[in-house]
């Protein structure tokens, strides 16, 4: 009788273990970091985002629901077709459960559409277009770090209030640039400012001279750089060579992060106003993370890299809460859980997938005001999340109940 009882108990335990293992597909939770690792945005996210994702896995404990967590990564070369092919292979043959980062708006939109088709989760930390949580929203798509609306509210609003009421835009010629120019223009005009002109430039151009001369001759008080990465840095360098700032016009770097400030140097970047969702030297938690990231990468993290850490960590928490890595339960958990970590305090996720959190208006310090390496910003203001981001009910996302 004892043997029979023990056999029954062993069978029950074996069945329980098998059922538990089935909660994680293929006995591993696999997350893909897909971004630019060799082009104009390589410093913007790049290998730093991969490192941040791995840090999140380590901090979570390395396993979830008793199964290992794996990070894979690839370079999408800022090409939507390349990104889509990699994402399709990851989903179809490599059993990737979620894809994150996705720098470049055209890439993010393409991969989000594919992810919805495949019923897989994507969390965008590196792209800016509000279309991701607007007309092209997805029940499995999330937008985590920043967007063009938040950048417009931050940088655009600050300069209009300081008297920068006429603007000329240098705009990257793709979806991100158009969206950033449009959002900022609307905000400038709503606050009494005027748009006097704009010009579009190719992605990764090396020569901004003709574009800058048009901006200079416009007489605008503010030249808005609706671009990112090396494009913004090159435009600032060449503007300095033309003496544009010295002559009285101001440069507004509408998407510029700590990584680009470091590459440019404080001598050239001093006085720039910009908006980020994270600064390593803002509080104790951000400083602790920044120092660990520095030990691993030799650099301090910007908002994209810290945001990727947050996205991976929150995804793993959602898998744990859902008790499975199946897409629909994890998506429901991501929508319902508050976000509290070194990146966001009391962040919330709207029905459209937009993670709403505070943003920060920064001014780049003069070289003499910096007290240590990577001490580049003065935090001028905190922009509450409900001001920085579009109300989900007004986003144009058909998933949101009106």
């Amino acid at each position: 009788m004892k043997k029979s009882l023990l056999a029954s108990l062993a069978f029950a335990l074996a069945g329980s273990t098998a059922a538990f293992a089935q909660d994680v597909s293929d006995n591993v939770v696999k997350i893909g970091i897909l971004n630019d690792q060799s082009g104009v945005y390589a410093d913007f996210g790049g290998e730093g985002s991969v490192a941040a994702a791995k840090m999140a896995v380590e901090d979570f404990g390395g396993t979830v629901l008793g199964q290992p967590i794996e990070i894979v990564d690839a370079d999408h070369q800022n090409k939507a077709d390349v990104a889509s092919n990699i994402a399709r292979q990851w989903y179809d043959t490599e059993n990737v459960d979620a894809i994150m980062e996705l720098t470049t708006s055209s890439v993010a939109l393409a991969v989000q559409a594919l992810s919805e088709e495949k019923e897989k989760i994507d969390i965008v930390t590196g792209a800016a277009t509000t279309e991701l949580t607007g007309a092209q929203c997805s029940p499995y798509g999330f937008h985590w770090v920043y967007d063009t609306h938040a950048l417009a509210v931050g940088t655009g609003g600050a300069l209009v209030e300081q008297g920068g009421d006429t603007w000329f835009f240098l705009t990257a010629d793709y979806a991100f640039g158009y969206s950033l120019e449009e959002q900022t223009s609307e905000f400038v005009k709503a606050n009494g400012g005027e748009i006097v002109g704009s010009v579009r430039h190719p992605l990764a151009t090396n020569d901004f001279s003709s574009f800058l001369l048009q901006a200079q001759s416009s007489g605008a008080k503010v030249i808005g750089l609706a671009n990112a990465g090396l494009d913004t840095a090159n435009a600032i360098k060449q503007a300095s060579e033309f003496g544009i700032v010295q002559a009285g016009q101001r440069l507004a770097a509408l998407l510029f992060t700590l990584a680009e400030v470091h590459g440019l140097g404080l001598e050239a970047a001093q006085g720039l106003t910009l908006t980020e969702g994270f600064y390593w030297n803002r509080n104790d938690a951000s400083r602790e993370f920044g120092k660990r990231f520095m030990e691993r990468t030799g650099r301090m993290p910007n908002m994209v890299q810290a945001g990727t850490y947050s996205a991976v960590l929150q995804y793993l928490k959602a898998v744990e809460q859902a008790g499975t890595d199946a897409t629909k339960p994890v998506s429901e958990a991501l929508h319902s859980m508050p976000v509290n970590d070194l990146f966001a305090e009391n962040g919330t996720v709207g029905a459209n997938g937009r993670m709403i959190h505070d943003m920060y208006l920064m001014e780049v310090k003069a070289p003499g005001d910096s007290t240590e390496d990577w001490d580049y910003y003065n935090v001028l203001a905190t922009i509450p999340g409900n001001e920085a981001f579009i109300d989900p009910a007004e986003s144009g996302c058909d998933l949101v109940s009106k």
Side-chain angles (χ1 to χ4, degrees), residues 124-351:
V124 177
T125 61
T129 178
T130 53
E131 287 292 292
L132 288 160
T133 51
Q136 299 189 52
C137 65
S138 160
Y140 316 122
F142 299 85
H143 202 181
W144 213 251
V145 174
Y146 70 102
D147 62 26
T148 51
H149 185 271
L151 298 176
V153 170
T155 309
L159 292 184
V160 171
E161 290 177 4
Q162 294 176 18
D165 55 6
T166 55
W167 284 61
F168 185 100
F169 287 95
L170 268 65
T171 302
D173 193 10
Y174 72 107
F176 155 72
Y178 312 151
S179 181
L180 186 52
E181 179 185 339
E182 180 183 2
Q183 295 271 350
T184 307
S185 296
E186 289 176 0
F187 196 80
V188 167
K189 289 185 282 190
N191 284 270
E194 178 186 0
I195 310 302
V196 300
S198 66
V199 63
R200 292 177 175 174
H201 68 80
L203 179 66
T205 187
N206 291 318
D207 185 3
F208 282 87
S209 57
S210 65
F211 310 121
L212 286 166
L213 289 171
Q214 291 180 62
Q216 189 175 36
S217 65
S218 75
K221 294 178 183 177
V222 178
I223 300 171
L225 303 176
N227 48 25
L230 288 176
D231 282 339
T232 306
N234 286 334
I236 293 169
K237 286 178 184 177
Q238 292 172 39
S240 178
E241 293 168 4
F242 285 129
I244 287 176
V245 174
Q246 296 87 328
Q249 289 175 294
R250 299 187 68 170
L251 296 178
L254 297 174
L255 177 52
F256 210 55
T257 75
L258 194 76
E260 290 75 49
V261 172
H262 179 75
L264 190 58
L266 291 183
E267 190 64 43
Q270 62 182 304
L272 281 173
T273 303
L274 55 93
T275 301
E276 283 214 56
F278 174 86
Y279 179 40
W280 75 269
N281 206 13
R282 192 178 69 83
N283 59 29
D284 289 342
S286 60
R287 279 187 283 273
E288 189 273 336
F289 174 72
K291 289 175 181 177
R292 289 198 294 128
F293 188 89
M294 169 69 84
E295 289 172 0
R296 181 173 296 225
T297 67
R299 306 169 65 85
M300 282 295 182
N302 64 7
M303 66 175 173
V304 174
Q305 293 150 351
T308 300
Y309 173 96
S310 172
V312 171
L313 191 64
Q314 192 74 359
Y315 173 77
L316 295 173
K317 291 177 182 178
V319 170
E320 185 175 61
Q321 177 168 301
T324 176
D325 66 350
T327 295
K328 291 182 180 179
V330 173
S331 179
E332 290 171 2
L334 283 167
H335 279 99
S336 67
M337 296 167 58
V339 183
N340 281 297
D341 55 32
L342 58 89
F343 176 78
E345 300 161 13
N346 300 314
T348 60
V349 177

Side-chain angles (χ1 to χ4, degrees), residues 318-392:
V319 170
E320 185 175 61
Q321 177 168 301
T324 176
D325 66 350
T327 295
K328 291 182 180 179
V330 173
S331 179
E332 290 171 2
L334 283 167
H335 279 99
S336 67
M337 296 167 58
V339 183
N340 281 297
D341 55 32
L342 58 89
F343 176 78
E345 300 161 13
N346 300 314
T348 60
V349 177
N352 62 344
R354 173 71 259 175
M355 202 270 275
I356 298 170
H357 58 90
D358 294 346
M359 297 287 288
Y360 305 97
L361 180 66
M362 313 287 196
E363 182 181 53
V364 178
K365 291 182 176 182
D369 295 331
S370 178
T371 59
E372 60 181 304
D373 288 344
W374 295 87
D375 173 38
Y376 294 160
Y377 291 158
N378 290 313
V379 181
L380 300 180
T382 298
I383 306 161
N386 60 356
E387 295 179 15
F389 297 101
I390 298 170
D391 184 332

Side-chain angles (χ1 to χ4, degrees), residues 32 34 83-84 86-88 90-92 96-102 107-124 132 136-142 327-328 331:
L34 184 56
S84 295
I86 293 169
R88 190 177 297 276
W90 277 357
Y91 287 148
D92 290 348
V96 168
D97 297 294
I99 296 178
M100 304 185 194
E101 224 269 39
L102 297 170
V107 163
L109 289 167
V111 173
Q112 179 156 292
L114 177 65
S115 299
E116 182 174 6
E117 174 192 327
K118 298 290 185 179
E119 294 192 356
K120 297 283 190 175
I121 285 172
D122 70 280
I123 305 181
V124 177
L132 288 160
Q136 299 189 52
C137 65
S138 160
Y140 316 122
F142 299 85
T327 295
K328 291 182 180 179
S331 179

